[in-house]
Amino acid sequence: MAAADVATPALDRLEARFRSASPIFRDAVPRVRTLLGGRWAADADDAVARLLPSDDAVAGAVDGYARFALDALRLQARFEQTGEYRHRTYDEVAAAVYLDDEYMRTCYLPGLLLAHYLWPHHYRQLRAFDAWAEDVARTGPGRCSEVGVGTGIYSRRLLAAAPDLLGTAFDISPQSAAFARRHAEAFGLGDRLRVELRDVIADPPEPADHLVCVEVLEHLEDPVAFLGGLRAMLRPGGRAFIATALNAANADHIYLYRTSSEVIVQLEAAGFAVEGYVSNWAAVPRRPGVPVPEVIAFMVS
Amino acid sequence: MPGEERLREVVAAMLELDVADVDDDTSTDTVLTWDSVRHMNLVIALEQAFDITIPDDDVATMTSYPIVRAVVEEQLGGG
């Protein structure tokens, strides 16, 4: 069977649910399947099968993704007009997003999980991370930390790629911690990933050999101070994968990065040596000069 | 509703249809090009054309022309 024709029953179930329950997203799965091919389809199918094993789970995730994606599209349109994100303080975002238990469980986290697969720029960043994880795997046994684990997708992929690693994942959200724990268990990695509810700046953990921090900086009022704390969590000689979003007006984005160089300046000020970065745009600009959401991942040491 | 012709023009423009083709049968089931990006463009165009704000909860449920009309009417104070 050719890669493009790989059987994907779980992904097919997801696609059928989009068609029936959220038709404006009916092309969400086939569009990316055409763009990214059989390898993507097999990867996404595995995730859906393990993490959304029932029809109810798929229905909840589709509903969550639709709300999450519509919200993002609407905020992006507003951002194109104002040039500013909606919220400026952590307290505003916490009240609107993080402290809303139902929104976090039923909308934000399932929506975010599907967005990793259904938004090509996010999936391309995952592939870049997989390449980084292969390099980490070659360094042998060690410990890795992830700060702001979210859905758990990055820690899961790192531990799957590097069987000699043990991981600890930190988040300040109880819902994220629970989601990440379930995620690791669904892939048989529960015994190698410890998930802790902890503010790593207020209560710093032991330094690790490898560090992952994906799309946290833009959620903070003061990413510079945070990056200083992050640097202290990496052992000398260790390597880190730090990603953020530029010009992307999601509901909980506070700190607006407009260019990659703004992030590089902050990383270097925190003591990181930037080895390189991978950038992916969400789309081509609608008009010249219109900012496009971008995810950008830095390989640093 | 008052201004329905304007409403049909906006819907037609955003969904790339002829105005004459916009009727009570127009929905995400019958218009296969009605995707998420066109949907959001429609929401924003409606807000600008009628000087209204469409609540987030309504954005996700506006999947047919009759529902779009009802939401706009409600925000204009006629619903």
Side-chain angles (χ1 to χ4, degrees):
Chain A
M1 183 180 285
D5 299 327
V6 64
T8 55
L11 199 54
D12 296 346
R13 206 156 37 88
L14 180 70
E15 184 178 340
R17 182 67 193 182
F18 270 118
R19 273 201 309 271
S20 65
S22 191
I24 61 171
F25 289 102
R26 62 163 74 83
D27 66 340
V29 173
R31 184 175 62 95
V32 191
R33 194 194 289 267
T34 300
L35 186 67
L36 300 177
R39 189 175 176 188
W40 169 84
D43 190 14
D45 184 72
D46 187 35
V48 173
R50 291 175 190 263
L51 300 172
L52 306 172
S54 67
D55 287 344
D56 281 351
V58 167
V62 164
D63 185 48
Y65 175 83
R67 289 168 60 194
F68 183 88
L70 283 174
D71 196 33
L73 282 168
R74 187 174 217 197
L75 289 171
Q76 193 66 26
R78 178 183 177 276
F79 172 68
E80 287 178 9
Q81 293 172 340
T82 66
E84 303 291 339
Y85 288 168
R86 178 170 60 179
H87 296 305
R88 302 234 177 167
T89 70
Y90 179 82
D91 287 346
E92 286 175 354
V93 169
V97 180
Y98 304 138
L99 298 179
D100 187 337
D101 179 71
E102 186 186 356
Y103 178 82
M104 284 292 290
R105 282 187 299 102
T106 67
C107 182
Y108 184 92
L109 289 164
L112 192 59
L113 175 73
L114 289 184
H116 282 300
Y117 291 94
L118 298 179
W119 293 1
H121 62 308
H122 277 247
Y123 188 74
R124 287 175 171 137
Q125 179 166 285
L126 271 180
R127 302 299 304 176
F129 179 75
D130 290 343
W132 182 84
E134 283 180 24
D135 290 346
V136 167
R138 280 190 281 274
T139 64
R143 291 188 173 275
C144 59
S145 291
E146 181 174 3
V147 178
V149 68
T151 65
I153 192 168
Y154 278 85
S155 278
R156 182 261 289 178
R157 293 177 88 95
L158 176 56
L159 292 177
D164 295 330
L165 279 191
L166 293 175
T168 308
F170 304 97
D171 210 294
I172 57 173
S173 158
Q175 296 91 351
S176 285
F179 197 100
R181 220 172 263 127
R182 284 198 308 275
H183 191 147
E185 287 166 1
F187 281 81
L189 299 167
D191 58 339
R192 291 174 48 215
L193 182 69
R194 191 172 75 241
V195 182
E196 289 187 17
L197 261 183
R198 186 197 289 219
D199 178 341
V200 297
I201 302 305
D203 181 15
E206 288 293 307
D209 302 302
H210 315 284
L211 190 60
V212 176
C213 182
V214 175
E215 286 153 37
V216 172
L217 303 179
E218 68 274 23
H219 299 253
L220 305 172
E221 291 178 40
D222 184 2
V224 176
F226 173 81
L227 283 168
L230 211 56
R231 184 67 190 84
M233 289 180 60
L234 184 64
R235 285 200 180 121
R239 303 182 67 221
F241 184 97
I242 300 174
T244 188
L246 314 183
N247 299 306
N250 290 31
D252 54 349
H253 290 183
I254 299 170
Y255 193 94
L256 173 56
Y257 292 108
R258 297 181 193 274
T259 66
S260 57
S261 57
E262 293 172 16
V263 192
I264 292 173
V265 166
Q266 293 186 357
L267 287 166
E268 291 179 342
F272 288 109
V274 178
E275 298 173 350
Y277 66 83
V278 176
S279 160
N280 287 286
W281 286 16
V284 295
R286 282 205 273 194
R287 298 181 303 279
V290 172
V292 173
E294 178 179 349
V295 287
I296 186 164
F298 296 86
M299 280 63 79
V300 303
S301 55
Chain B
M1 64 170 274
E4 177 151 9
E5 196 50 35
R6 177 73 184 127
L7 178 65
R8 292 174 70 219
E9 287 171 4
V10 173
V11 171
M14 292 299 112
L15 299 182
E16 298 176 22
L17 303 170
D18 289 335
V19 174
D21 292 335
V22 176
D23 56 29
D24 283 2
D25 292 329
T26 301
S27 76
T28 53
D29 290 330
T30 59
V31 181
L32 296 181
T33 54
W34 190 339
D35 64 10
S36 56
V37 173
R38 286 191 180 87
H39 186 74
M40 195 48 63
N41 289 341
L42 171 62
V43 169
I44 293 161
L46 291 169
E47 291 184 333
Q48 291 174 344
F50 293 94
D51 195 22
I52 57 176
T53 299
I54 297 174
D56 289 344
D57 285 347
D58 289 337
V59 169
T61 62
M62 288 169 37
T63 54
S64 71
Y65 178 69
I67 300 173
V68 169
R69 182 174 57 214
V71 167
V72 171
E73 267 187 317
E74 184 177 2
Q75 295 310 314
L76 287 171

